[in-house]
Amino acid sequence: MKIGAACRRKLAPLAIHQLLLDNNSYPMLSTSEFQSLCRKHDLAATHQRRVIYDTVMSMHGHPSPELIYDKVKKKIPSISLATVYKNVRTFLESGMLREVSMHHGSLRVEPNEHAHHHLVCVRCKQITDLDPEHLAPVRIKQRPRGFTVTRIAVDVMGVCAACAGKPDAKQF
Amino acid sequence: MKIGAACRRKLAPLAIHQLLLDNNSYPMLSTSEFQSLCRKHDLAATHQRRVIYDTVMSMHGHPSPELIYDKVKKKIPSISLATVYKNVRTFLESGMLREVSMHHGSLRVEPNEHAHHHLVCVRCKQITDLDPEHLAPVRIKQRPRGFTVTRIAVDVMGVCAACAGKPDAKQF
DNA sequence: CTATGTGCAAAATCTTTGCTTGAAA
DNA sequence: TTTCAAGCAAAGATTTTGCACATAG
């Protein structure tokens, strides 16, 4: 079987369940705390948003919108996948949540065989190679148990010169 | 305008052109060199493969399959996008090319607000949080010109314990 | 020869969008 | 009572697949 999107989709729920780390104990927000959090980000505090946010924050791993939808649906059976997508994006844009990787949109090939790292612009998604010289060498102090390390990739994220000039774009 | 897939698709070709680094001078392979490279990876050395590989290796930046297709089409007008996709995947699986990010398949939300890094299994794509303690602090020795750094993300890539037990899966 | 790759079209996945109804401020 | 969000369906973007024909080994 090929490891494609279809396969990944089936693996993800199982795999995430296997090795979870309990380093993300989220203190559930009260209604008024959630309301002021939303006000701070200029968002209406709807029931759906509350449940989506709570669900994500209480999940281990790094859930996809589909996985979030599956969990939220148990609390709000009438919710639609589009609402989950819309709100996840809204949360990302407002800074209430973060994305694991800035470049998930489409496959990107790396022709550069030399050891190097990346400069990633969070606005235009531009990926630029970063000379290893610019970075102090990354060292693993304690080897993760059972994990065979083959490579270390560093993404230095921020805003590139071109985007810094355009103040209209949202920062996320 | 929202920064969605459609927007990114339009930006990418322009953006990649702007800030290219000339650190990837690829010495074009001879026909026989390409043939032995393919033999080493158990692949037939077709004309299409040769052109796709040469094109990717001579491209700056981190091209998407679409961008590769556009360039290859100028040399082989009859080529199909599916062939480019098939061969890019074949090259990734054989190790002849690499992927920029292991998790571009679908959006993944990061609920963990604390500074931390990731352990990524290159086989099952599993992302596990890595305690900062396990890594020596990442430092930037020389600030990239014009780039405002907001965050550094480290991916420690390799094979997780669960996947190491299954010798059938390809390593890529 | 025969095993594998190509090209085309269709399907599968993932994500966004337009619009009407509903809820929040 | 006005503005923003939810739900639904449809479209868009990205990637894979099935199959007939072509090419490499």
Side-chain angles (χ1 to χ4, degrees):
Chain A
M1 189 186 191
K2 284 274 214 44
I3 301 193
C7 174
R8 218 176 299 139
R9 199 180 179 189
K10 289 196 171 170
L11 275 175
L14 283 165
I16 282 170
H17 185 256
Q18 280 169 8
L19 291 173
L20 53 83
L21 286 181
D22 206 350
N23 58 1
N24 184 30
S25 50
Y26 162 67
M28 176 87 77
L29 298 182
S30 70
T31 302
S32 70
E33 281 171 329
F34 182 72
Q35 283 173 340
S36 61
L37 180 61
C38 284
R39 213 175 359 256
K40 201 165 65 185
H41 291 279
D42 287 311
L43 301 176
T46 66
H47 178 53
Q48 286 87 338
R49 282 200 179 136
R50 170 96 198 263
V51 174
I52 292 169
Y53 185 79
D54 278 351
T55 301
V56 169
M57 292 303 283
S58 67
M59 280 173 94
H60 302 284
H62 304 81
S64 63
E66 287 256 17
L67 204 53
I68 297 165
Y69 173 65
D70 289 343
K71 277 213 133 189
V72 169
K73 214 181 163 106
K74 285 174 187 158
K75 295 174 200 158
I76 313 178
S78 63
I79 204 164
S80 73
L81 182 55
T83 297
V84 172
Y85 267 101
K86 279 176 191 166
N87 281 311
V88 165
R89 186 145 295 285
T90 301
F91 288 148
L92 294 176
E93 290 177 10
S94 73
M96 280 174 68
L97 291 176
R98 289 146 302 286
E99 258 185 277
V100 170
S101 163
M102 293 317 285
H103 25 74
H104 74 272
S106 89
L107 192 159
R108 298 297 197 89
V109 177
E110 173 61 82
N112 187 342
E113 306 180 78
H114 307 109
H116 70 286
H117 298 301
H118 289 137
L119 220 50
V120 182
C121 177
V122 299
R123 291 200 191 156
C124 68
K125 317 291 184 194
Q126 160 106 31
I127 309 163
T128 313
D129 287 353
L130 182 64
D131 200 289
E133 245 82 301
H134 286 220
L135 219 63
V138 182
R139 281 190 317 99
I140 298 176
K141 292 196 319 201
Q142 198 180 336
R143 212 169 68 77
R145 283 176 57 80
F147 194 93
T148 311
V149 177
T150 55
R151 186 159 75 86
I152 296 184
V154 178
D155 282 357
V156 176
M157 316 229 262
V159 182
C160 74
C163 287
K166 306 172 210 154
D168 53 313
K170 281 177 189 168
Q171 159 94 52
F172 67 100
Chain B
M1 189 186 191
K2 283 274 216 41
I3 301 194
C7 174
R8 218 176 298 138
R9 200 180 178 189
K10 290 197 173 170
L11 275 175
L14 284 166
I16 282 170
H17 185 257
Q18 281 170 6
L19 292 173
L20 52 84
L21 286 182
D22 206 350
N23 57 2
N24 185 31
S25 49
Y26 162 66
M28 175 90 76
L29 298 182
S30 71
T31 304
S32 70
E33 281 172 328
F34 183 72
Q35 282 174 342
S36 61
L37 181 60
C38 283
R39 215 176 359 258
K40 201 165 67 184
H41 291 281
D42 287 311
L43 301 177
T46 65
H47 179 55
Q48 286 85 341
R49 280 200 182 137
R50 170 95 197 266
V51 173
I52 292 169
Y53 184 79
D54 277 351
T55 302
V56 169
M57 292 304 281
S58 67
M59 281 174 93
H60 301 284
H62 305 81
S64 64
E66 286 256 18
L67 204 51
I68 297 165
Y69 173 65
D70 289 343
K71 278 214 134 192
V72 169
K73 214 179 163 112
K74 284 173 187 159
K75 295 174 200 157
I76 313 176
S78 63
I79 204 165
S80 74
L81 182 56
T83 297
V84 172
Y85 266 101
K86 279 175 189 165
N87 281 310
V88 164
R89 185 144 296 285
T90 301
F91 288 147
L92 294 176
E93 290 178 10
S94 74
M96 280 174 67
L97 290 177
R98 290 146 301 286
E99 261 186 275
V100 169
S101 162
M102 295 316 283
H103 25 72
H104 71 272
S106 90
L107 192 159
R108 298 297 198 89
V109 177
E110 172 61 82
N112 187 342
E113 305 178 79
H114 308 108
H116 70 287
H117 299 301
H118 289 137
L119 220 50
V120 181
C121 177
V122 298
R123 290 200 190 156
C124 68
K125 317 292 184 194
Q126 161 106 30
I127 309 163
T128 314
D129 288 351
L130 181 64
D131 200 287
E133 248 84 299
H134 286 220
L135 220 61
V138 182
R139 279 191 318 98
I140 298 177
K141 293 198 314 201
Q142 199 180 334
R143 211 169 70 77
R145 282 176 57 81
F147 194 94
T148 311
V149 177
T150 55
R151 186 159 75 85
I152 296 184
V154 178
D155 282 357
V156 176
M157 317 229 260
V159 182
C160 73
C163 287
K166 306 172 210 154
D168 54 313
K170 281 176 190 167
Q171 158 94 52
F172 69 101

